[in-house]
Amino acid sequence: MHEVILPVVGSAAAWRDEARALARAGIRAEDVVWRVGQSASHLFAGAAPVPGPGREIRLPRSALATIDTALHHSDPERFARAYAAVLRLSDGRARWGDRSDPMIRRILTDAKAVGRDIHKMHAFVRFRELPSDGPRRAFGAWFEPDHPIVEAASPFFAGRFGDMDWVIATPTLTARFDAGRLSFSATPPDQRPPEDATEDLWRAYYASIFNPARLMVSAMQSEMPRKYWKNLPEAALIPDLIREAPRRAAQMQAAMPTEPPARRAMVARAMAQREAVEPPPGTLDALRAQAAGCTRCALHGPATRTVFGEGPADAALMIVGEQPGDQEDLAGRPFVGPAGEVFDTEAAAAGIDRAKVYVTNAVKHFKFTPRGKRRLHQRPDAGEVSHCRWWLDQERQLLRPRLIVAMGATALAALTGSGTGLMKRRGGIEAAADGTPVLVTVHPSYILRLPDAAARTAAREALRADLSAARRWLETQAV
Ligand code: URA
């Protein structure tokens, strides 16, 4: 048996190096025991494992990124599972994105749980100011995540609070940002930062943003689950705010203005002006920067950010999906979640290099309904698709692709004006409003929703065939 001891800090990075070396040496997954921090090697005395043939680990980038995320799960088996998976994926015994494979499905689920935990940490860490004897202000926070995510979640805080020194302590690891340098160490006992006057500021802030007319206790608890309350200074206010809510709501209703608020009129004027202005000729980067502040429809409100298209500005092939999903909304990049995994795998199998194509969506904000801890995808309506065509049309005009692949009915409607009868139209080549050829195919999420494995396999093969047809079309049509 081969025992690998990963360090407490940097265990995911160390796993990558170890996994590569073990694979190269031909060590089988069942012959490795993975531990973090301390050895129990006396349990494993015995014959050394007999190596099989060595191999290089070669996986799609999205697979590596998801496996890496899953390594931050609290399950002690995560390292062993990840090593077994990369071996199976590398030699073709498993296919990335195949949810009928329990090992792959488990990694995808773990990565999702880790992503959610990171999201919660970004939302619920509360800093208190600490005494500082240097030129920078110093802050500390205590947080209890479900998974060991501190290393994955902290770069966000370094970006957002780059001009301060801060410490975020968790029960296992502490992140420290000192004079612009991020480091991690094991957490010493009793490292909660002291209480101070900043608490009052938090309470005043929370009371001011609390709207009693919109009180939904269960939604509030699911967004800010009770277990986080004890470390949130403002949480002490919640019971009183809830008790007082009906009275304050009645007061607000009685005092409600009959004119629309001034700000709403200002926003409407700004939108009208924006619509009247011809889009400036420019680059995709300039367009992306403009789209980052898009308020053309209501979807920008609940979404985290605009998820704009990405890819080379001279790409011959443009891929259009529906709208970003949960993971795309968090990452700020299109097709990086489960649908992206299907797309990446089938595109690669069809001989299309994702790095060489421009990938975007018909709608640039994630539309969802909150359900417990989850944000459930909602299909964008015709109005939202039509508002967002403002961006899609400009992306197409600036990129001038030779061919567009429309994945699913929403993309097809945005590009050709009609999304009906997708299954009869799939595989065919139609024209966008400006004449650009549009190859019609299904959306990868449709494949993921199919109830049985055989249907999913057939649908993936059909998507791959459509993408192969797109590649061949580009190779054979004169430029
Ligand atoms: N589905 C889409 O249509 N686009 C994405 O970016 C992700 C999922």
Side-chain angles (χ1 to χ4, degrees):
M1 194 57 86
H2 204 92
E3 190 185 27
V4 178
I5 311 294
L6 299 170
V8 176
V9 174
S11 48
W15 174 88
R16 278 193 295 275
D17 293 343
E18 292 285 350
R20 257 191 227 108
L22 290 170
R24 249 180 236 133
I27 306 293
R28 298 178 314 166
E30 52 274 36
D31 289 336
V32 188
V33 173
W34 298 84
R35 301 187 174 281
V36 178
Q38 51 178 266
S39 168
S41 50
H42 56 283
L43 295 177
F44 299 104
V50 182
R55 72 203 96 173
E56 288 298 326
I57 294 176
R58 284 196 210 292
L59 301 182
R61 212 166 351 136
S62 68
L64 283 173
T66 306
I67 291 170
D68 207 70
T69 304
L71 292 178
H72 297 277
H73 198 277
S74 53
D75 180 1
E77 289 304 311
R78 64 194 181 279
F79 296 110
R81 184 179 304 113
Y83 182 56
V86 296
L87 292 185
R88 291 180 59 224
L89 288 163
S90 292
D91 58 21
R93 284 177 293 140
R95 199 160 60 148
W96 183 244
D98 180 2
R99 284 181 170 269
S100 61
D101 180 326
M103 186 179 277
I104 303 294
R105 192 168 60 237
R106 178 62 196 264
I107 288 174
L108 292 169
T109 314
D110 284 2
K112 201 163 185 170
V114 167
R116 263 201 305 269
D117 207 28
I118 291 174
H119 183 62
K120 295 284 182 214
M121 180 163 173
H122 291 166
F124 297 141
V125 159
R126 295 289 183 269
F127 286 106
R128 282 98 157 164
E129 186 148 18
L130 304 173
S132 161
D133 44 13
R136 286 154 64 96
R137 293 175 71 190
F139 292 82
W142 172 260
F143 189 76
E144 294 171 29
D146 289 339
H147 301 287
I149 55 165
V150 183
E151 290 174 86
S154 293
F156 164 88
F157 296 102
R160 181 161 286 191
F161 304 113
D163 57 345
M164 320 164 174
D165 291 338
W166 50 258
V167 171
I168 304 175
T170 73
T172 49
L173 280 195
T174 293
R176 203 173 296 278
F177 191 68
D178 195 3
R181 219 186 122 256
L182 183 59
S183 61
F184 301 94
S185 55
T187 302
D190 302 329
Q191 210 188 35
R192 271 169 206 262
E195 302 276 320
D196 72 3
T198 314
E199 306 290 278
D200 292 342
L201 286 181
W202 269 111
R203 290 196 179 110
Y205 163 76
Y206 193 71
S208 76
I209 60 164
F210 178 81
N211 179 352
R214 291 226 217 115
L215 180 64
M216 287 192 298
V217 176
S218 64
M220 205 162 130
Q221 289 182 355
S222 76
E223 243 329 283
M224 188 195 280
R226 247 171 208 285
K227 67 175 186 168
Y228 297 112
W229 290 19
K230 68 178 188 294
N231 294 313
L232 297 178
E234 68 268 31
L237 293 173
I238 291 174
D240 279 353
L241 291 170
I242 291 174
R243 203 172 325 108
E244 282 288 292
R247 194 181 56 75
R248 285 185 56 202
Q251 266 177 5
M252 278 171 74
Q253 223 162 10
M256 200 122 80
T258 48
E259 295 279 307
R263 205 179 110 67
R264 191 180 306 167
M266 257 168 47
V267 171
R269 264 200 309 278
M271 280 178 75
Q273 268 171 9
R274 193 168 312 149
E275 268 156 36
V277 174
E278 280 295 302
T283 59
L284 281 164
D285 283 344
L287 191 65
R288 178 178 298 110
Q290 279 179 35
C294 179
T295 53
R296 295 180 60 82
C297 75
L299 295 186
H300 75 275
T304 308
R305 54 171 63 84
T306 306
V307 179
F308 203 71
E310 67 173 24
D314 59 353
L317 181 61
M318 180 180 191
I319 305 283
V320 183
E322 181 193 75
Q323 61 162 348
D326 183 71
Q327 293 194 29
E328 288 77 14
D329 171 77
L330 296 176
R333 297 183 50 213
F335 283 105
V336 293
E341 279 144 13
V342 174
F343 169 69
D344 284 352
T345 308
E346 300 313 330
I352 293 175
D353 179 357
R354 173 164 175 166
K356 297 204 173 116
V357 304
Y358 186 85
V359 180
T360 193
N361 284 300
V363 170
K364 310 287 193 248
H365 280 117
F366 176 35
K367 180 174 181 183
F368 61 92
T369 335
R371 175 81 46 85
K373 291 186 180 178
R374 305 182 57 210
R375 303 188 297 171
L376 297 186
H377 163 273
Q378 267 196 305
R379 204 168 182 180
D381 64 29
E384 288 148 357
V385 173
S386 141
H387 274 107
C388 226
R389 219 171 31 229
W390 167 263
W391 301 115
L392 183 64
D393 285 349
Q394 291 186 77
E395 277 178 297
R396 193 181 61 219
Q397 281 158 23
L398 289 170
L399 189 72
R400 297 182 162 281
R402 290 174 50 220
L403 179 67
I404 304 176
V405 171
M407 297 202 297
T410 304
L412 189 57
L415 289 161
T416 67
S418 161
T420 55
L422 178 83
M423 284 312 193
K424 290 205 192 94
R425 293 161 70 185
R426 74 169 303 171
I429 294 193
E430 305 189 6
D434 65 353
T436 311
V438 176
L439 190 143
V440 184
T441 191
V442 294
H443 193 283
S445 300
Y446 151 81
I447 298 175
L448 291 174
R449 284 194 301 269
L450 289 171
D452 70 286
R456 281 196 299 277
T457 304
R460 287 182 83 119
E461 279 163 8
L463 172 63
R464 195 182 314 161
D466 290 342
L467 292 170
S468 298
R471 178 185 48 74
R472 281 197 306 276
W473 189 96
L474 285 168
E475 285 167 359
T476 53
Q477 297 291 312
V479 182

